[in-house]
Amino acid sequence: MSTSFDPADLRTDLFIDGAWRKATGSATFPVENPATHEIIAHVADGSPADAELAIQAAGRAQAEWGKSTPRERADILRRAFDLVLANADRLAAIMTAEMGKPLAEAKGEVAYGAEFLRWFSEEAVRIGGDSTTSVDRSTRILITQEPVGPCVLVTPWNFPLAMGARKIAPAVAAGCTMVFKPAELTPLTSLALADIFRQAGLPDGVLNVVPTTKASTVVGPWMSSGIARKVSFTGSTEVGKLLLRQASDNVMRSSMELGGNAPFIVLADADIEKAVDGALKAKMRNMGEACTAANRFFVHRSVVEEFSEKLAKKLSELKVGDGAASGNDVGPLIEQKGLDKVESLVADAVAKGARILTGGNRPDGPGYFYNPTVLVDVPKDALLMSTEIFGPVAAITAFDSEDEVIKLANDTDWGLVGYVFTEAMDKALRFSTELEVGMVGVNTGLVSNPTAPFGGVKQSGLGREGGKTGIEEFLETKYTAIAV
Ligand code: NAD
């Protein structure tokens, strides 16, 4: 199996009611490779008219799909899982081409994304219920779980396969139909995934995919349609808030996986090798373009020099270049806007007193590359302390006491994930309790796991994806009172 794809095999049309179709007026938009600026494909650019066809199809399909058997849904998900694995190299190559992450990471994401399909194929047949009796024994209470109904799914560009799979799989398992708008920067992976669901036997109209360059003109009508009963969004807090406002008009169930500002805390007693290894994962996965990326490093003053120098050495050894070429560890950022943001955040921190240990610049040549960077003595008022960097920049600040660092870590509107490195169990538990986040990594820089409930508190989101709770987001609880 080769780690490439045949451009002729790419799906580039809209997927509506089980069929591939052109956008209204055959409008298309280009998808660029961020490492080379090459145009990989032209993808159908969905319009409000296409959005209407999609939501109507999802609405029509819901009644029958909602009555499908759990076994049928499980089997479809299991076949989709097998197909994703059978196509792993091709999917990884498509992802690297449109998003930039190195092939090894893209393959990791395929395995991670596929696991949501397997996990929810197993959950589909375990949707339970409950029954009890009222306290006066006059009523038998029967509690059942039913599909929420048609769902609006919207995903970002940074994990094109996993973010789609993490929503589609529980929706399929629960018996919901979907209208899905993938990010315009990375539609090809999502369309390839839709094709896999078609091959796996998902009935027509259950999954409808509409890429577009005009997100609000497609998603807006879905939100106001009265047909969609739920929205599941992953992306920025800003757009999440907008969709929550729209959801309120029709009182739609809402799941929001939004931005983060993760603290990465190294206590005085930490194993520094472990902490550096964890920092590499938490910072460099996806070139730092992850909601879970360590954004603020707080390192105890007694170990800050050792940690910073070791991290800087590791980062300076990473090879920056086209993710499709073997041997490259760090791919390009997604677009010029992202690169400009990283450059300006570093310039701001340096102007305010931060020192650069490594990086701090971009390599020559095409592509939106930025060199892995370590900044130390980063002051509290540097913009990157309160902004998602979304790039390969580790911003390190020293702290003196545990009380101080807990306060610093929680001093943000976000609360997705926090990392803490310590060899002491009592300290680990204290931080796990006191950090205002939805997820805590203790001595690990990686919390994403299909078996775990992924999600944040504060302005990082509502609801959880994955784990046992993932399917509940797509189910309604109904209770029937039976007089006895
Ligand atoms: P974004 O919010 O700009 O876009 C996300 C999606 O929303 C895209 O599909 C986009 O087209 C769509 N969108 C944009 N404007 C819209 C509108 N007015 N109406 C409807 N849809 C609209 O985010 P992004 O730049 O694609 O992704 C990066 C962000 O995603 C970061 O903040 C990151 O932290 C977050 N993220 C969160 C998680 C998580 O699980 N919490 C995972 C990955 C990324």
Side-chain angles (χ1 to χ4, degrees), residues 111-123:
Y112 168 57
E115 193 53 44
F116 287 104
L117 307 179
R118 178 158 63 174
W119 173 266
F120 285 108
S121 80
E122 292 156 349
E123 290 298 285

Side-chain angles (χ1 to χ4, degrees), residues 316-335:
S316 65
E317 287 165 1
L318 296 176
K319 227 172 138 219
V320 179
D322 187 346
S326 68
N328 287 333
D329 308 300
V330 184
L333 298 181
I334 187 74
E335 59 178 338

Side-chain angles (χ1 to χ4, degrees), residues 154-158 163 166 181-184 215-216 219 233-236 239 242-243 257-260 291 388 390 416 454:
V154 182
T155 55
W157 47 264
N158 56 352
M163 296 301 97
R166 204 163 73 173
K181 193 210 84 60
E184 56 271 36
S216 61
V219 178
F233 172 74
T234 299
S236 62
V239 176
L242 189 95
L243 292 181
E257 297 287 350
L258 309 177
C291 52
E388 270 189 302
F390 252 56
L416 189 62
F454 187 104

